[in-house]
Amino acid sequence: MTHDAAFDTVLAVDWSSGHDRGAAPKQDAIWTCLARSGQPTDPVYHRNRQVAEASIADTIAQEHAAGRRVLVIFDLCFAYPAGFAQALTGTSDPLAVWDWFEERVKDSKHANNRFDLAGQINAMFPGIGPFWGNGRPHHDVDHLPRTQKTSGYGGHGLPEFRDTDTAAKGAQSPFKLSGVGVVGSQVIMGLPMLSRLRRGFGADLSVWPFQPATTPIVLAESYFSLLPDGLDRDLHPIKDAAQTTLYATAFSALSQTDMAQCLDVPASQEGWVLGLGSQHLLRAAMPDPVAPTSDSASGTKLTPPPLRNDCFAMPQGAHWTPVDAALDHLQKHLSPVTGQDIIHVTGAAGRILARPVIAARSHPPHPNAAVDGYAFAGPLPPGTHDLPLHPGRSAAGAPFAGTVPQGHALRILTGANIPSGTDTVVLQEDVTASDTRIALHGPLKQGANARRAGEDMTKGDIVLPAGRRLTPADLATLAACGTGDITVRQRLRVGVLSTGDELRDPGSVVDDGQIFDANRAMLLADVAGWGHAPVDLGRAPDDRDRLRHILTQAATRCDAILTSGGASAGDEDHVSALLATTGSFALWRIAVKPGRPLALGLWDGVPVFGLPGNPVAAQVCALIFAYPALAVLAGADWQPPQSFTVPAGFSKSKKPGRREYLRARINDGAAQVFPSEGSGRVSGLSWATGLVALPDDGIDVRPGTPVTFLPFTGFS
Ligand code: AMP
Ligand code: MG
């Protein structure tokens, strides 16, 4: 394999001071991830330190045996603040501290002596400290203060932080042994492991930055919060796993030159966070996207976890659930269910980003001219000026290769690179030009009519976040900063099913007891308008076995299902009856008008939204509840519909208790409502261009009262 990476392999390790965490992968445990050339493998969970240490040693040995140069980065301080090593070991060598701890730390799956050891160290220092934070609530430890605020803490003569901790914003003190964001305990429980690795690999291994990083195996400390939040989103549902994946990927993608820059820090006995000060390099090196592979042996698994069986379970009470509480529940308990695709930015409008996009190039990449004119070195003082014209010109796509002599001007066209020797452009209309000279009036500021490199976007910046549904303008933004392929969510496949014996297809021959299926065409169009892939599931009769069969079939080809009708608790309400057999069913009594109970549940793991049958209620519930819920399932951010406050063009007294949605449209800047509130009037939905939402509380609306208007076009 030929590439110019400094290391063939990067192994990222997130260490932990906790007890054995059990067989199933968990948060706040030890995770490792191995990456090569910007391609991560599946992150690995280690239930305790013993198995983790064995695995790390094995991995290093394997890479080494295969002739691959390996960098192991630990989210773990490699040293303590200046003066600590000298006081503890009699030498300033931080590696002597490693050996000191290796000799004394006693560690098993369920107990260790880290607090006692910290107390013993404190006893060697004057005053109280430097360690603080006894994490055992009912057990005092000699010489170890409970908190940093314990009276008398201090006087031990050491700084609390290393220089690198101060420089890495948010990093914690290695002397802190308990509490939020604690790192000190991990350090005590990690140094013995590091010490053993070091001895095990002898001269083939070096510890950066205390030793030159020239060996086949290099250990370094990093800080797995160096890069902006959100970059690791979607790499893995468990944060620690996602972080190790991100940092293994980023460091393994660095070119030799960039890695050399990361490694080039002033030697210090306090150590240094690898990558600190070089975050822009890490970000720019990140292959975007990290290709999701279907080959789970070598690629990161990016299939989202299934929804939890209790995702629709809301605390039930005698009261009707307010609309906002229902929405809040959906927002908190739903998560993306779709996989990922890599597609080209052209044609990606309406798709949802599965990963943030990082600018591959600054925009503009070079300073360039904002107008047609003449470039020279600014500024120009007030008065008239006469500049000799340098031969040649700079045009967009055909930059001028030479340097313009001081005091000379060069012909330049809009979008052309500002040539060397110049920084300012005068508009051609402001100049009298001959073949050899230009005359113009000052003053002209330095940099006038020139665009700065990167003034729009800077290489390495996150340009658009994951969860963003791409607009046409987004495509231009992405293209401009050098984006070709992007990782997007696969489209959410949403099935639409109508239920009821009385329903017939539009346009067919019907008898008196039958009506046309109005909901299906509407809901299919809604789903398409919201950017999902609609799946027409047809009609189901009021027959439980038939409906069961249809749902089971649908669950194999849909990511979510919208049904209408049969969602209440009556004899012929087969949707709710069937969902009730799944153990995931909830009948939401929402304080909303129009609306009936909303039946929610998972059918073979696929979320089913049982909407009311009445077309007006079906549409209102679809817009208010299904629209934002489906957006989250599709991988987009929670999207409340667009709304405007407008004066009412109507009068209405509304009692408190239920949120009310009225079919409305804007006339002369005021909201008019459909004359009949009868929810059977489908035509009122066509008359309307949106909904007026009246608050849960009572309200006396008069012409001019401000009301909330939700345009139908805002649901898209
Ligand atoms: P249900 O919730 O099944 O009791 O239905 C409530 C009302 O909505 C009944 O009058 C149904 O006939 C009517 N309805 C149900 N589904 C549809 C549909 N797809 N199109 C038009 N009306 C419907
Ligand atoms: Mg029915």
Side-chain angles (χ1 to χ4, degrees), residues 185-466:
S185 281
Q186 291 180 45
V187 178
I188 297 183
M189 301 316 297
L191 295 183
M193 171 264 311
L194 292 173
S195 182
R196 284 186 288 270
L197 288 177
R198 193 164 86 86
R199 265 190 298 109
F201 292 99
D204 289 327
L205 180 150
S206 58
V207 181
W208 178 89
F210 314 129
Q211 301 169 322
T214 49
T215 49
I217 304 162
V218 175
L219 309 187
E221 140 188 18
S222 190
Y223 177 46
F224 292 0
S225 303
L226 276 180
L227 295 174
D229 258 351
L231 270 186
D232 58 7
R233 182 173 156 178
D234 295 332
L235 290 178
H236 196 281
I238 294 179
K239 180 82 182 164
D240 306 349
Q243 283 184 333
T244 49
T245 306
L246 176 67
Y247 287 84
T249 305
F251 278 103
S252 75
L254 285 181
S255 69
Q256 250 171 37
T257 324
D258 288 355
M259 178 60 87
Q261 194 169 326
C262 282
L263 293 168
D264 183 20
V265 304
S268 153
Q269 300 302 332
E270 289 190 331
W272 193 259
V273 168
L274 183 64
L276 178 58
S278 301
Q279 285 93 328
H280 60 292
L281 298 177
L282 288 170
R283 279 160 65 164
M286 284 281 291
D288 193 20
V290 172
T293 70
S294 48
D295 170 13
S296 63
S298 66
T300 313
K301 273 209 196 67
L302 294 160
T303 330
L307 295 175
R308 289 170 54 110
N309 216 29
D310 60 357
C311 64
F312 295 126
M314 252 208 299
Q316 297 293 306
H319 294 290
W320 291 69
T321 306
V323 171
D324 288 337
L327 291 175
D328 197 49
H329 185 97
L330 290 172
Q331 180 175 10
K332 286 210 180 89
H333 292 84
L334 295 179
S335 52
V337 295
T338 48
Q340 306 185 358
D341 273 339
I342 297 179
I343 61 170
H344 194 263
V345 65
T346 307
R351 301 301 295 271
I352 297 164
L353 282 180
R355 301 175 41 74
V357 179
I358 294 164
R361 191 185 198 213
S362 291
H363 184 259
H366 301 285
N368 71 38
V371 297
D372 287 346
Y374 297 87
F376 57 91
L380 277 189
T384 46
H385 301 273
D386 181 0
L387 305 180
L389 211 46
H390 193 69
R393 64 168 205 170
S394 184
F400 179 73
T403 298
V404 179
Q406 176 65 31
H408 291 233
L410 185 85
R411 176 74 173 138
I412 192 163
L413 302 176
T414 306
N417 288 356
I418 303 285
S420 158
T422 72
D423 53 19
T424 304
V425 179
V426 57
L427 194 66
Q428 69 182 21
E429 286 83 350
D430 293 345
V431 162
T432 317
S434 74
D435 285 348
T436 54
R437 311 193 71 80
I438 58 168
L440 67 157
H441 291 284
L444 219 66
K445 279 196 203 132
Q446 187 168 33
N449 298 316
R451 305 173 179 135
R452 280 177 291 110
E455 70 176 19
D456 184 17
M457 295 177 270
T458 307
K459 179 178 174 176
D461 278 356
I462 295 183
V463 184
L464 291 173

Side-chain angles (χ1 to χ4, degrees), residues 574-704:
H574 302 285
V575 172
S576 31
L578 277 176
L579 288 176
T581 64
T582 64
S584 61
F585 170 68
L587 201 60
W588 286 13
R589 292 158 31 102
I590 303 173
V592 61
K593 185 179 168 192
R596 293 267 292 280
L598 215 53
L600 300 157
L602 300 179
W603 191 265
D604 290 345
V606 173
V608 179
F609 297 82
L611 303 170
N614 175 309
V616 176
Q619 177 66 338
V620 168
C621 289
L623 293 175
I624 302 304
F625 302 107
Y627 163 74
L630 293 179
V632 172
L633 294 173
D637 294 327
W638 180 257
Q639 289 170 339
Q642 197 185 35
S643 70
F644 301 97
T645 303
V646 296
F650 63 97
S651 299
K652 180 180 163 72
S653 281
K654 176 195 169 294
K655 292 203 229 56
R658 293 206 278 173
R659 171 103 33 114
E660 223 172 297
Y661 293 97
L662 308 173
R663 284 151 286 175
R665 66 184 187 194
I666 302 293
N667 195 3
D668 265 347
Q672 263 192 318
V673 294
F674 190 59
S676 159
E677 285 183 23
S679 65
R681 303 257 194 129
V682 186
S683 68
L685 281 173
S686 293
W687 174 91
T689 58
L691 300 172
V692 156
L694 296 181
D696 300 3
D697 292 339
I699 184 173
D700 230 350
V701 180
R702 298 274 158 259

